[in-house]
Amino acid sequence: MTRRLNTFVHVDGVAYGPDSKVPASVAKRIGDHAWQDDDAPETPAAPVEAPPRSGRGSGIDAWRAFAEQNGVGVDSDMSREDIIAAAEDAGAVDREV
C-alpha cells in the first residue's frame, strides 16, 4: 500500500502536492493528516475561502496556500500582491474594486 499527499505542503521552502514524488527524508517530516492511501477514495476538499486582503490572516503564506489549493501556479519569488493578482487572473478570487 502506497501513500500520497492529499493536499499541498511546504517543507523547507519547497512545495509538494498530490502528484509530487516526496523524498523519504521529507516524507517523515509531514504529518499523517496530509497523507492518504492510494487505494482510498478521494474526499472532495471543502471550499476554501480567500484570505482577507488586509489585517490578520492576510499574509503571503495564507495567500500562497489559497492559490495552491485553487490550482493557481505560484513561484517562490512572487510577492503577496503577485499571488493575489494571479488568483484574480485565474478566477479563484474576485478582483477588488
Side-chain angles (χ1 to χ4, degrees):
M1 173 171 49
T2 60
R3 297 187 325 161
R4 70 181 184 97
L5 289 170
N6 61 17
T7 189
F8 287 89
V9 298
H10 289 242
V11 178
D12 293 332
V14 178
Y16 298 94
D19 296 325
S20 299
K21 176 120 175 95
V22 182
S25 60
V26 173
K28 68 182 180 182
R29 297 175 59 193
I30 301 172
D32 288 336
H33 66 282
W35 296 97
Q36 75 178 31
D37 296 333
D38 262 349
D39 55 347
E42 275 194 50
T43 55
V48 179
E49 189 173 323
R53 293 183 188 243
S54 63
R56 177 177 240 157
S58 65
I60 190 169
D61 292 334
W63 276 99
R64 185 179 307 281
F66 171 78
E68 290 174 348
Q69 290 171 347
N70 284 280
V72 179
V74 294
D75 296 325
S76 60
D77 61 338
M78 291 175 78
S79 70
R80 185 182 78 92
E81 289 72 23
D82 292 339
I83 295 170
I84 293 171
E88 289 173 344
D89 291 345
V93 66
D94 291 333
R95 294 192 186 279
E96 195 171 55
V97 285

